Amino acid sequence: MKAPADFRILNYCIGLAFAAYAPAADFEGQTVATGLKGGYQVIAVDVNGDRKTDLIGLASGQPDLVWYENPSWQPHVLARGVNRMINLAARDVDGDGIPEIVLASDFANEPKGSRGTVSVLTHTGDPRQPWRLREIDQLTTSHRLRWADVEGNGRPVAVNAPLAGARAAAPEYRDHVPLVFYRPGTWTRETIGSENEGVTHGIFVADWNGDRRDDILTASFSGLHVYSLGKGGAWKRIEIAKGAPAAWPKSGASDLAVGRLGRARYVTAIEPWHGNMVTVYEKQGKEWRRQVIDEAIDQGHTIHTADLDGDGRDEVITGWRAGGGGVAVYRKPKKGPWLREVLEQKTMAASGCAVADLDGDARPDIACIGSATQNLRVYWNRSARRGR
């Protein structure tokens, strides 16, 4: 007997809800390290030049910066005795096959207590031995570091986005926030701009305007913006969207990334600062339409995009720290809403994640580091390749 129409609709909705929150069966978890007090950031990069992607695990509550060698995940110390590390960026800028690392330390949320030391780490011959650490700057609340080829000449610079301005104070953080960069070699601070206000928590590097130069996207209390360097050497800041519509200091955004659904570009964000919402912005005419695809995370702290299943459509990967923490993947089918798949809950308080092919099978894997859970985990991508 055919079920009544209302029953069929209810059954469909229940099935859709279950699919949207079902655990992801396409990933296999593996623990790389435990006991990482204040686990904050993980970077995927070939540290020793063997063409295997290693992991650097930054833990703010520990004095040593450690990298883990792929595939055994044997730990090696990069630097010892560093206070309150908060972020790093690694890239081979001198062409020797080993990355240069910029590191931010001496961090505190309150600007008056945050020295904001920026240092450069370089290897001394054997990457498995401790590296040389050289201080290059002190800028209050130095917080997010990224390499970017802002001039399009193949010579990247190190971008530094502090959390807040020097005169800011919680909870309002009323001040303009500087955005700066350093050229390798001289390592002199150069200013990009200081238009953002409140807290600037996230930055993302991408060629936003198609001019073959990296642009700097920022997420702050002011919203989502992009900084671009013009041919005349002047920086220009353009608003993408205002972010969360709530009143200050619950306005704007916390972290962001750029992805694609086929040919169409989108921006995804965590909103507001350390917020509970995952949002997606898609271009409609001249505007970026905001859509909330999840509002059940707790202290969202990391967001990425990647084509995990090879179908030409980027998924969103998000991690959160509170309530036991968790990691989730959001997929957008060609028809229907975004679907949420949980990789892990309660046992991974994800402060940072990285997405990279760690085993050479042409499928992006996910690595996350936990703060309260003090662990570093890899989620091996076992998904079948889907048709485009």
Side-chain angles (χ1 to χ4, degrees):
M1 185 177 69
K2 191 174 182 179
D6 57 349
F7 179 81
R8 293 199 306 270
I9 293 171
L10 177 61
N11 191 53
Y12 168 79
C13 293
I14 292 172
L16 183 62
F18 177 79
Y21 288 86
D26 294 339
F27 291 85
E28 178 184 345
Q30 178 189 355
T31 297
V32 171
T34 58
L36 303 178
K37 184 179 178 181
Y40 194 84
Q41 183 194 25
V42 56
I43 293 291
V45 65
D46 181 1
V47 176
N48 57 354
D50 66 354
R51 300 185 180 179
K52 295 184 178 68
T53 302
D54 309 297
L55 297 175
I56 304 175
L58 182 152
S60 297
Q62 296 189 174
D64 295 346
L65 180 62
V66 178
W67 70 279
Y68 301 88
E69 187 173 358
N70 189 349
S72 67
W73 305 123
Q74 180 180 354
H76 306 281
V77 175
L78 286 162
R80 298 186 187 278
V82 187
N83 181 53
R84 292 290 299 170
M85 295 178 286
I86 193 68
N87 219 239
L88 67 86
R91 183 162 173 172
D92 178 17
V93 296
D94 62 8
D96 69 350
I98 309 297
E100 281 66 46
I101 298 172
V102 286
L103 174 69
S105 60
D106 294 318
F107 174 81
N109 276 340
E110 289 289 339
K112 64 181 181 180
S114 179
R115 183 184 303 169
T117 302
V118 182
S119 304
V120 176
L121 284 85
T122 52
H123 72 94
T124 58
D126 182 356
R128 295 177 177 85
Q129 299 301 315
W131 292 28
R132 182 184 298 113
L133 181 71
R134 172 192 170 195
E135 181 179 319
I136 62 169
D137 197 13
Q138 289 186 5
L139 181 59
T140 300
T141 69
S142 292
H143 181 254
R144 289 289 180 263
L145 299 173
R146 301 290 186 270
W147 288 101
D149 185 2
V150 297
E151 294 173 320
N153 57 11
R155 296 192 293 271
V157 301
V159 177
N160 178 13
L163 182 78
R167 296 185 300 273
E172 295 286 323
Y173 290 95
R174 294 281 185 179
D175 196 9
H176 288 266
V177 190
L179 182 65
V180 306
F181 71 87
Y182 312 93
R183 298 179 189 272
T186 60
W187 299 111
T188 302
R189 185 201 303 172
E190 299 183 42
T191 299
I192 295 173
S194 58
E195 293 86 355
N196 286 350
E197 295 183 74
V199 165
T200 296
H201 189 262
I203 62 174
F204 186 86
V205 175
D207 181 3
W208 179 256
N209 53 21
D211 64 354
R212 299 184 180 181
R213 300 178 179 208
D214 283 337
D215 306 297
I216 314 301
L217 283 73
T218 64
S220 72
F221 284 8
S222 302
L224 303 170
H225 294 83
V226 56
Y227 283 87
S228 301
L229 180 63
K231 292 184 179 179
W235 286 91
K236 184 177 182 180
R237 173 181 177 263
I238 297 174
E239 181 181 274
I240 301 171
K242 297 188 181 300
W248 187 293
K250 297 296 184 180
S251 59
S254 186
D255 297 274
L256 80 166
V258 177
R260 287 194 173 272
L261 297 173
R263 295 182 180 180
R265 180 171 59 176
Y266 68 86
V267 179
T268 184
I270 294 171
E271 297 175 357
W273 180 33
H274 292 171
N276 66 306
M277 292 181 286
V278 181
T279 61
V280 169
Y281 292 83
E282 296 182 73
K283 194 73 175 288
Q284 289 190 347
K286 294 183 179 181
E287 303 295 326
W288 288 88
R289 183 180 66 89
R290 179 176 183 262
Q291 178 186 2
V292 179
I293 65 171
D294 192 2
E295 49 187 330
I297 64 173
D298 195 349
Q299 278 201 28
H301 206 265
T302 181
I303 193 163
H304 299 267
T305 61
D307 184 0
L308 298 174
D309 53 17
D311 67 350
R313 301 167 67 81
D314 287 343
E315 283 73 40
V316 175
I317 302 101
T318 301
W320 60 97
R321 302 190 300 183
V327 183
V329 171
Y330 305 82
R331 303 180 189 270
K332 180 65 169 69
K334 292 183 179 180
K335 294 182 180 180
W338 286 85
L339 303 179
R340 180 186 195 252
E341 302 171 89
V342 177
L343 267 65
E344 187 162 7
Q345 280 186 300
K346 304 299 183 182
T347 51
M348 168 50 69
S351 280
C353 294
V355 183
D357 181 7
L358 299 176
D359 56 6
D361 68 353
R363 291 179 291 192
D365 306 297
I366 301 169
C368 294
I369 192 167
S371 48
T373 50
Q374 302 186 11
N375 53 349
L376 175 58
R377 299 256 293 159
V378 170
Y379 304 95
W380 298 104
N381 188 347
R382 308 304 189 201
S383 63
R385 310 304 283 169
R386 305 186 187 190
R388 292 176 180 264

